Amino acid sequence: MLFNSLTFLVFLPIVFLLYWGLGRRRVRAQNAFLLVASYVFYGWWDWRFLSLIFLSSLVDYLAGMGMARGDGVSSDGASAFASKHGHDENRDDPSGGESRLASKHGHDSGDAGASAFASKHGHVPGHEQNGRRRVLLIVSLVVNLGILLTFKYFGFFIDSFGELLNAFGLQANLPSLRLILPVGVSFYTFQTLSYTIDIYRRKIEPTRDPVAFFAFVSFFPQLVAGPIERASNLLPQFQRQRSVRHDDLSEGFRQILWGFLKKVVVADTAAGYVNDIFASSATVDGLTLFIGTFLFAIQIYGDFSGYSDIAIGTARLFGFRLMRNFAYPYFSRDIAEFWRRWHISLSTWFRDYVYIPMGGSYVPKGQRIFNIMVTFTVSGLWHGANWTFLVWGFLNGAYYIPLMLRDKHKQYTAIPAEGRLLPAFGEAWRMAVTFLITLLAWVFFRADSIGHAFQILTQMATQPYFGMEYGVYLTPVLMAVLLLAVEWLQRDKEFALQIGAWVWPVRWAAYYAVLFIILFFGEFGEREFIYFQF
Amino acid sequence: MNLGKLTVRIIAFMAGFLVLAEILLRTVVPACDVPPMELNTEYGFLNYRTDGQRSGLFTQGQRAFHRSRWEVNNDGWIFPEDYHPPDARHRPLIAMFGSSYIEGLWVEPDENPGIRLRENLNQRFLVYNFSITNSVPSEHLQEARYVRDTYAPEVYLFILQPGYLIGCTDLDPERTRFAVEDDTVRVVRPTVLQRGGLDGVKQLIRKSALLRYLLWNLRLAAALQGIAVEDQVDAITVRNTVYDDSTEAVAETVAQYLCRQMRERLGDNAVIVIAHGDIYHDTAPPAMHPEEAILERVAPEFGIDTIPLTDGFYRKYLSDRRSFKFDYDMHWNAYGLQTLADILADGMIPILETGFPRHPVGNPDGDSTVQQ
C-alpha cells in the first residue's frame, strides 16, 4: 500500500479509529491490532512476502530469547528495560534523544557495555553462554542477511561473476535467479538485525512479548522505507501505555501534510522531467543534464524525506515517536554534515553496526580510511544491486576522508546561519560546494550504468550549451526553489510545517495553502516512492 | 487542549476548507460540470435532461487548463442549436450518430462536428448530431428509430470506431446491448430505468464543486478502480479485444443484424451511410481493423454506403503532423473533429449529389429548396 494512494487514505482513518477505540489501557490489544493492520498494509502489495517478515521476526525473537536465557535474564526483562531506559524523555526532545543515543552507541560499546550489563545483573556469563549467544547471533545474521542477499543481491553477484569470467575469456553456465525484490526488505531486516546485535552486545534486553516484538518489526508507518528504528527507541514504546495527545495529533497531521507536499507536488512533478532528461541524455546538452541532475537531487529528497515525514507523522497519530530521518541536508556546509542530515537512521546504523565494530576512529590512519571507505561503499550497495550505487557510496567516502584526516568532520553541528535570515558569504559558498559535489554523486546514483554516468558527466563538460528550450523546466525548478526557500526559513524546526506556535488564523491559512497546492499541483498517479526499491 | 476542543477545531477547519474549496472551484479553477442524463424508456437510449441545467462548463485536469462550454438543446443533445420537426425545416436533414468522440465533448459548441459538416456541405443540408457519450451501435439503432419518428431525416450517418461491434455485446444494465448466441442477436434493453431521476447523492455531486472536481477533474472514480486514462479508452472502444475467428464471427453477426435493422427500420428510401475508422498518428500506413473490413463487406449488401475514416486521418497526419486528440484526454480535439468533418464531407458529397440532385452540395449557387 502506498502512502500516496486512495487505499491508504481510507486505511489510515479506519485503523486510527479502531486503534484508539480499543482503549489506551489495552496495550496488548492495541499492539495486536497494529500487527494485523501492518500485515494488511504490507500484504496489500504482495501477501506472499509476509512470510519473510514473519520469518525474520520469529528468528530474531527466538534468538533474543535464547540469548537472554544464556544470561539468565528475568522473564519480565523487556518491561524492566522499557522503564529503566525512560524513553519518555525522548518524547519531548527526539533530536536530543538521538544524540544521547548516538553517544551511548558510540565507543563504549562492546566489552565495556557487556561487563557493565553483566555486573548490573550480578551475573558474569561463562564461556559456554557466550558461545551460545554467538551462535544465536550468527543464526540471526545468516537468516536476515540471507534473505537480503537472496532476494536483492543474488542475481547481481551471479551476473557480475559471469562478466568477470567473460572478461578472462571463460564461459560458465551460472544459475540464473530472477526474484521479485520484496518491498522494504532492506529496511526491516536492518531494523530487526539491530535488535539481536544490541542484545548480543548487552545494550538492551530482549522482550518476551512476541506481539510487541512482531509489531515492532512490522510497524506499518515505517515498515517499507524507514526510518530504520532501533529496538532501544521503538520497542519500549510498544510496551507502555499510549495516549491520544493533542500535540501528537496536531504535529502528526502537520508532518503528514508537509510530507505529502514534498512527495506529490515537488518530487513527483520533478520525476517526469528527470526521467525524460536521463532517458535522452545522449541528445540533450550539458545544461539540460545539469538541470536534470538538480531536479533529481530535489526529487529524491522530496520523495524520501516526504515519505519519512508521512511515516513519522503517522506514527505520532498512534502515539509513537520515530527518529528524525532528514534535517535539511542540502543546507550542509560539508559532506560530513550532509551525512549527519541525510537518511540519519541509515547512516547511524552503518556507524554503529559496521564502522564502529571495525574499529571506528580508534585505529591507525590507514585503517580509518579503509573503514570509512568500506562503510560508505557498503551503504551504497545497500541502496541497490548495481555498480552505480557502489560508486556513489565510494565517492561519498572519498569526499569524507579529507575532512576526517584533518579532523574537520565535526565542525558544523549547529543550524546554518543561526539567528540570521541569510548565510554569510563563506557559509553560502560552502553550502553551494557541498551541494555541487553531492550532485556529482547523484549522477551515479540515478544513471543506469557506470558508462551512462560517465557519458552524462562528459556531456556536461564538453557540450555545455546548445541553446535548447529551457523554459519547459521552469515549473519544477520553481517548485524546487520554493521548497528550499521555505525549508531555509524553517530550518530550526524539525520539519518546515512545524508551525504550532503561530497564531491560528495564520496557521490555518498555511494549512489551506498547502492543501490547495497539493490539490492543484500534486501528481495523483500514485507514483511509487524511490526508496521502495531499496 | 482536550479532545472535545480538538474535535471542534477539526470540524471548523474542515468546514473552512469546504467553503474555500467551493469558492475556488467555482472561480479560479472551475470544476468540470457535465449535463445530467436520463433514459428514454420508450426507445431505450440515454440522452441529456432538458428540464434542468442546459449549459455549463467542461473543464479538464486538476488546474482546469482546458475549458469549453456545453449547451444542451431542446431535445437533450449537446448541440448549439435546437432541433426542429420536418414541417419547420427548409433543407434536407442529415442525422449523425456516434459516441462521445463525435458528440463534441470538450470542444466549444461551434466546433461540434455537426456544425462543421454542415459548413463543409455549404449549408445545403441541415446536420443534427445525435451522438452521446458511451453509446455504441446497439443504441444508435434505438436513437435512429426515435429520430425517424420525430425528425424524419433524409440521411442517416452512423460513425463507428473499431471495436464498437464487439462493444455492442458488452452487456450494461443502463444501456441497450446485443446478446449474441449461435448467429442470433437478442436485444437486451436497459434494466436500470431510474438513471434520469437525480437521487440525493447525484444532486449533491452536481451541486458541490469539490465533488465534481474530484470526480471529473481528478477522475477519482477511475482512480478508485485503478483505471488509468489510457485504459479507459480501451474499455470504451474494446481495443484490447483479440480478433480471432470466433470474435470476428460475433462481429460479423452483429454487423449483419445491425445493417439489416438499419435498412428495415429506417426505410428503403433512406440514405444510410456508415463511416468507420479512427484517428491515426503514425507515418506508416494504417492496416484495416477487422471490424472495418466486415462493415465494408456487409453494409453494401443492404444498400448502405460506407466512408473509411482512418486513411483520411493518416493522410492529414502525414501533411500536418498534428495530434487529433487532447493530450490529457482520449477525446478528439477541435482539429480532430474538423478533420473528421472534412473527411465525411469528401465522402458524402458524391452520395448526396446522387441522392439529392436539387441540393447540389458542390455548387452553392444551385437550387436548395426541399425535395418533396
Side-chain angles (χ1 to χ4, degrees):
Chain A
M1 199 181 294
L2 297 172
F3 281 163
N4 55 332
S5 68
L6 288 168
T7 322
F8 185 71
L9 283 183
V10 176
F11 173 85
L12 182 60
I14 292 173
V15 173
F16 176 82
L17 291 174
L18 291 176
Y19 171 81
W20 288 117
L22 288 169
R24 60 183 180 170
R25 289 178 196 285
R26 300 175 64 189
V27 176
R28 289 178 70 91
Q30 282 184 326
N31 289 345
F33 177 72
L34 277 182
L35 176 62
V36 172
S38 298
Y39 274 48
V40 169
F41 177 88
Y42 191 86
W44 209 266
W45 167 70
D46 193 330
W47 60 268
R48 292 170 300 173
F49 289 111
L50 284 171
S51 56
L52 291 182
I53 299 180
F54 184 81
L55 175 69
S56 184
S57 308
L58 185 68
V59 166
D60 287 321
Y61 174 73
L62 294 176
M65 292 291 290
M67 286 190 217
R69 201 167 300 134
D71 282 338
V73 170
S74 63
S75 62
D76 58 353
S79 51
F81 164 79
S83 59
K84 200 163 54 195
H85 282 67
H87 280 275
D88 264 342
E89 63 185 302
N90 277 355
R91 290 178 67 82
D92 299 317
D93 181 15
S95 54
E98 269 160 39
S99 50
R100 278 194 294 280
L101 186 68
S103 66
K104 203 162 61 184
H105 285 217
H107 295 285
D108 64 349
S109 63
D111 291 341
S115 46
F117 176 91
S119 62
K120 206 161 52 190
H121 287 270
H123 166 76
V124 179
H127 230 59
E128 196 180 314
Q129 281 94 334
N130 278 340
R132 174 197 171 94
R133 291 166 60 83
R134 191 169 295 121
V135 168
L136 289 167
L137 175 70
I138 289 169
V139 168
S140 168
L141 289 171
V142 166
V143 170
N144 286 295
L145 295 179
I147 290 172
L148 203 55
L149 288 171
T150 307
F151 284 90
K152 192 165 177 175
Y153 299 107
F154 186 78
F156 170 68
F157 287 136
I158 291 290
D159 291 348
S160 301
F161 187 59
E163 284 167 17
L164 188 69
L165 290 180
N166 282 340
F168 286 101
L170 299 168
Q171 289 281 338
N173 281 331
L174 297 171
S176 177
L177 191 61
R178 292 284 170 264
L179 297 170
I180 301 171
L181 178 66
V183 166
V185 67
S186 311
F187 291 90
Y188 67 74
T189 48
F190 268 42
Q191 179 158 314
T192 181
L193 263 181
S194 76
Y195 171 77
T196 40
I197 296 172
D198 282 354
I199 293 173
Y200 177 76
R201 290 174 172 178
R202 298 192 171 89
K203 282 183 171 179
I204 61 167
E205 294 168 18
T207 176
R208 291 184 65 87
D209 181 350
V211 175
F213 181 74
F214 277 61
F216 151 73
V217 177
S218 62
F219 187 40
F220 75 87
Q222 44 87 242
L223 171 61
V224 291
I228 302 167
E229 277 295 337
R230 307 299 170 77
S232 55
N233 177 43
L234 187 56
L235 193 52
Q237 298 184 54
F238 275 96
Q239 293 168 317
R240 63 147 186 260
Q241 222 179 74
R242 300 172 287 267
S243 54
V244 201
R245 293 181 4 157
H246 172 257
D247 282 355
D248 281 336
L249 293 184
S250 50
E251 284 291 276
F253 278 123
R254 277 193 276 269
Q255 197 155 3
I256 291 172
L257 196 58
W258 189 246
F260 270 112
L261 181 100
K262 284 200 275 191
K263 165 63 181 166
V264 300
V265 178
V266 181
D268 287 353
T269 301
Y273 294 91
V274 171
N275 292 345
D276 288 348
I277 292 172
F278 276 80
S280 55
S281 59
T283 56
V284 295
D285 64 13
L287 183 55
T288 306
L289 286 169
F290 180 79
I291 293 170
T293 309
F294 167 74
L295 288 177
F296 177 67
I298 297 300
Q299 180 202 348
I300 195 163
Y301 171 65
D303 191 281
F304 193 23
S305 73
Y307 183 94
S308 295
D309 281 338
I310 300 169
I312 294 167
T314 305
R316 282 194 81 159
L317 300 185
F318 293 87
F320 290 87
R321 294 294 299 271
L322 301 182
M323 70 182 291
R324 193 181 186 186
N325 216 14
F326 287 85
Y328 311 111
Y330 291 142
F331 304 145
S332 303
R333 290 150 289 190
D334 63 27
I335 204 71
E337 188 184 18
F338 177 83
W339 280 105
R340 282 192 297 275
R341 292 171 172 273
W342 179 275
H343 202 174
I344 298 163
S345 65
L346 181 73
S347 49
T348 51
W349 197 99
F350 273 103
R351 182 195 63 198
D352 294 343
Y353 299 107
V354 178
Y355 179 66
I356 289 173
M358 289 169 79
S361 305
Y362 291 85
V363 288
K365 199 175 274 182
Q367 178 73 33
R368 275 169 71 189
I369 293 173
F370 177 78
N371 291 351
I372 288 284
M373 292 312 293
V374 167
T375 306
F376 272 102
T377 308
V378 173
S379 90
L381 195 61
W382 175 90
H383 287 82
N386 195 325
W387 290 102
T388 51
F389 296 121
L390 209 94
V391 172
W392 173 77
F394 186 88
L395 208 49
N396 275 288
Y399 292 159
Y400 192 92
I401 282 170
L403 292 171
M404 192 200 64
L405 291 179
R406 290 183 294 140
D407 209 16
K408 300 226 168 175
H409 57 297
K410 287 181 183 166
Q411 61 180 331
Y412 299 115
T413 51
I415 296 164
E418 192 166 14
R420 284 174 289 133
L421 179 64
L422 296 172
F425 178 77
E427 204 170 24
W429 169 253
R430 283 189 289 274
M431 276 192 259
V433 170
T434 306
F435 185 62
L436 283 173
I437 62 170
T438 311
L439 287 189
L440 178 69
W442 285 136
V443 171
F444 286 90
F445 194 95
R446 177 59 180 79
D448 301 329
S449 62
I450 303 286
H452 187 211
F454 277 114
Q455 179 260 314
I456 289 168
L457 292 172
T458 310
Q459 195 105 333
M460 278 192 201
T462 57
Q463 297 175 326
Y465 182 71
F466 286 167
M468 297 178 83
E469 270 298 325
Y470 304 112
V472 291
Y473 305 117
L474 189 63
T475 306
V477 168
L478 207 60
M479 281 181 179
V481 170
L482 281 174
L483 173 73
L484 293 177
V486 171
E487 293 213 325
W488 173 260
L489 293 174
Q490 290 289 92
R491 64 195 181 281
D492 57 337
K493 308 288 190 306
E494 201 174 325
F495 58 95
L497 202 63
Q498 198 169 41
I499 54 172
W502 294 10
V503 290
W504 75 265
V506 183
R507 212 167 59 225
W508 282 28
Y511 301 150
Y512 287 142
V514 172
L515 279 171
F516 283 110
I517 287 171
I518 290 173
L519 201 60
F520 294 146
F521 294 94
E523 295 278 330
F524 296 109
E526 293 191 15
R527 204 184 280 271
E528 276 200 356
F529 289 86
I530 294 177
Y531 266 68
F532 275 23
Q533 61 191 292
F534 300 147
Chain B
M1 181 186 290
N2 64 31
L3 283 178
K5 274 188 182 171
L6 180 68
T7 310
V8 170
R9 277 203 177 184
I10 289 173
I11 291 169
F13 179 80
M14 291 311 295
F17 174 78
L18 291 176
V19 169
L20 209 54
E22 287 296 321
I23 293 168
L24 287 175
L25 295 172
R26 287 167 195 273
T27 52
V28 183
V29 181
C32 184
D33 199 2
V34 297
M37 295 178 112
E38 67 180 344
L39 180 70
N40 183 318
T41 48
E42 185 184 350
Y43 290 92
F45 65 87
L46 283 164
N47 70 340
Y48 299 110
R49 294 172 68 98
T50 54
D51 57 351
Q53 187 184 356
R54 294 272 295 272
S55 64
L57 197 65
F58 284 131
T59 63
Q60 289 187 58
Q62 65 190 131
R63 291 189 289 284
F65 61 87
H66 180 86
R67 303 173 189 190
S68 58
R69 285 176 301 120
W70 54 261
E71 290 172 13
V72 171
N73 70 8
N74 63 327
D75 197 32
W77 307 93
I78 287 188
F79 204 74
E81 296 168 10
D82 284 347
Y83 292 165
H84 301 291
D87 52 1
R89 292 198 312 259
H90 303 289
R91 284 173 283 178
L93 174 66
I94 298 171
M96 60 195 292
F97 304 87
S99 64
S100 55
Y101 293 86
I102 315 302
E103 180 181 32
L105 210 61
W106 313 125
V107 297
E108 287 294 326
D110 63 349
E111 291 165 340
N112 190 296
I115 298 287
R116 293 301 163 97
L117 178 60
R118 191 175 72 187
E119 287 168 0
N120 285 355
L121 298 176
N122 293 318
Q123 311 282 351
R124 295 307 168 105
F125 286 75
L126 275 177
V127 181
Y128 289 175
N129 192 346
F130 296 95
S131 303
I132 194 144
T133 189
N134 269 339
S135 171
V136 287
S138 51
E139 287 161 283
H140 299 165
L141 206 56
Q142 307 302 105
E143 294 160 11
R145 281 178 53 226
Y146 164 78
V147 170
R148 176 201 64 194
D149 296 348
T150 314
Y151 299 104
E154 282 75 11
V155 180
Y156 295 85
L157 170 60
F158 296 91
I159 302 167
L160 310 188
Q161 284 166 263
Y164 278 22
L165 294 180
I166 289 294
C168 290
T169 64
D170 191 13
L171 298 182
D172 179 341
E174 294 184 351
R175 303 280 188 161
T176 297
R177 293 286 190 263
F178 295 154
V180 179
E181 284 172 23
D182 300 333
D183 294 344
T184 60
V185 173
R186 180 169 55 85
V187 177
V188 182
R189 299 275 291 215
T191 52
V192 178
L193 301 178
Q194 298 306 315
R195 172 99 179 228
L198 293 180
D199 56 26
V201 175
K202 284 179 182 168
Q203 286 207 24
L204 184 68
I205 291 171
R206 298 203 59 75
K207 283 183 180 166
S208 163
L210 179 61
L211 289 179
R212 283 189 277 118
Y213 179 78
L214 293 175
L215 272 179
W216 295 319
N217 291 79
L218 295 188
R219 300 175 188 234
L220 190 70
L224 275 173
Q225 295 163 37
I227 302 173
V229 172
E230 286 305 317
D231 295 335
Q232 291 177 54
V233 183
D234 291 337
I236 292 165
T237 58
V238 206
R239 282 174 195 161
N240 279 339
T241 305
V242 177
Y243 282 83
D244 54 18
D245 287 350
S246 63
T247 326
E248 287 189 27
V250 172
E252 172 99 20
T253 305
V254 171
Q256 288 279 353
Y257 178 82
L258 203 61
C259 292
R260 181 178 296 107
Q261 289 292 314
M262 283 177 180
R263 179 52 68 202
E264 287 177 1
R265 288 177 181 233
L266 305 179
D268 290 341
N269 295 326
V271 175
I272 305 174
V273 181
I274 293 179
H276 58 79
D278 208 345
I279 54 173
Y280 192 79
H281 300 102
D282 204 335
T283 51
M288 187 174 268
H289 190 275
E291 287 198 1
E292 292 187 71
I294 290 169
L295 286 168
E296 278 292 326
R297 194 175 62 251
V298 173
E301 294 173 18
F302 298 92
I304 296 172
D305 293 297
T306 58
I307 300 174
L309 299 173
T310 314
D311 208 47
F313 278 110
Y314 163 61
R315 285 199 300 275
K316 190 73 174 170
Y317 182 74
L318 280 185
S319 66
D320 290 1
R321 302 290 170 98
R322 285 175 61 189
S323 175
F324 300 114
K325 67 188 257 313
F326 293 105
D327 293 337
Y328 178 79
D329 186 272
M330 63 282 189
H331 286 94
W332 301 358
N333 57 23
Y335 174 69
L337 292 175
Q338 178 63 60
T339 307
L340 169 73
D342 295 344
I343 300 167
L344 285 175
D346 288 345
M348 290 195 71
I349 285 173
I351 299 168
L352 298 176
E353 295 278 15
T354 309
F356 303 89
R358 294 184 64 196
H359 301 272
V361 180
N363 175 13
D365 299 325
D367 186 0
S368 67
T369 53
V370 178
Q371 188 181 36
Q372 297 296 335

